Amino acid sequence: MQVVTLRQMEELNKTPVKIRPEVLAVPAYKQGMAPSKQGFKLSSNENPFATLPEVQEAVNNADVNRYAAVAMPELRAAIGGLFGLNAETSQHMVHLAAGSVSILYQLIHAVAGPGDNYVYAWPSFEGYPLLSIATGAKGIPVALNNKFEHDLKAMAKTVTEDTRAILLCSPNNPTGPVIGAKNFHSFMKSIPKDVLVVLDEAYRELVTDSKAVRGEEVLEDYPNLVVLRTFSKAYGLAALRIGYGVGHPAVWEAARVTGIPLSVTAQAEAAASVSLTPAVSDQLNQQIAQLVDRRVALAEGLRSLGYEIPEAQGNFVWVPLGDDSLAFAEAFMQEGILVRPFAGSGVRISVGEAESVPEVLRIAGEFKKKA
Ligand SMILES: *Cc1c(COP(=O)(O)O)cnc(C)c1O
């Protein structure tokens, strides 16, 4: 057995090479600590259902000795079909990558560099601010309104000559509300037509609000719009890393230049393809319907305990607790439940196993009594 000495540990904490100061300034990402006792993981918005046998089989049957062929025509056609595109058009308008977060990196790298900026709402997806360090472009956060929604007017006002991209997240992770279709159209008309707009719909399958903007209904109106979705959340393929974008072929040509080649694996392709077949997607839709019921039970339950819960349209609820956020998350940790605190702002609780719902409400109720 190798024993690491104290001196070696100290050496490991120093960097042996020159690293960009803006990179060093970012605290290293720490995966959430494991709770002390057996409980529920409600911190990453994953699908809590076990992998479907059809999906597992597709993964097991994929060969791994050769690189996957990048074309993946059937998968592109199936995704394009969700947007009303025919199989041929889908080959040019559907883009695949190892998670939609990779597509965000490809896009910002393709459109923005030092001196440019991109605009996003805040609080929103934690990946957005990090794009700035990777690309050298400046990220400009714009505060949500008091209903925890995107303040689209304020975002439009923030756009300058140097703005290369605007990131919209609907429903917004971590707070939950969608962007309304009407507001979306007014926004698109108010910004320059050559600024890339990314509509990140990572939780699209869970949206029940009929007024929500839906990528497939607005895409053809705006050549500067791309829609991002993922198989990680409602579709339950988080560990396989596969997401997609739909939009103008020229944008994807650029994204291919900045992306890491060959990053979509054959297993991911196989699992995503089988997930879109009618037999499997019916089962996934049944899971999604159950998750929506649990979401409603969680949001309503927390509201009746006196918590102010914004409109929840993803597979998570947002508990705006300000300075109590870390203590609230700690109370859950003590009970073996992992949730995601945002210090000073709130706590995001994912919709998980059916048995987790009463547990969450019990712990939240006890926290309220102590407060
Ligand atoms: C989870 C998430 C993503 C990233 O998903 P991938 O696993 O990289 O496909 C992107 N955007 C939002 C808003 C998310 O919540």
Side-chain angles (χ1 to χ4, degrees), residues 99-101 104 125 128 169 173 200 202-203 230 232-233 241-243:
S100 54
V101 77
L104 284 164
F125 183 45
Y128 299 157
C169 187
N173 173 12
D200 184 346
Y203 304 92
T230 178
S232 299
K233 307 289 167 57
R241 312 301 302 122
I242 179 161

Side-chain angles (χ1 to χ4, degrees), residues 177-232:
V178 292
I179 294 172
K182 249 178 83 180
N183 291 341
F184 175 81
H185 285 294
S186 320
F187 174 77
M188 290 302 289
K189 288 183 180 113
S190 73
I191 56 147
K193 288 191 172 50
D194 57 0
V195 172
L196 174 71
V197 176
V198 179
L199 178 60
D200 184 346
E201 293 191 297
Y203 304 92
R204 159 69 178 83
E205 297 82 7
L206 295 133
V207 173
T208 51
D209 181 348
S210 60
K211 295 198 183 70
V213 64
R214 293 181 184 279
E216 66 273 26
E217 289 169 8
V218 297
L219 193 64
E220 69 176 350
D221 296 342
Y222 308 105
N224 59 327
L225 174 68
V226 301
V227 177
L228 299 193
R229 292 194 187 153
T230 178
F231 287 94
S232 299

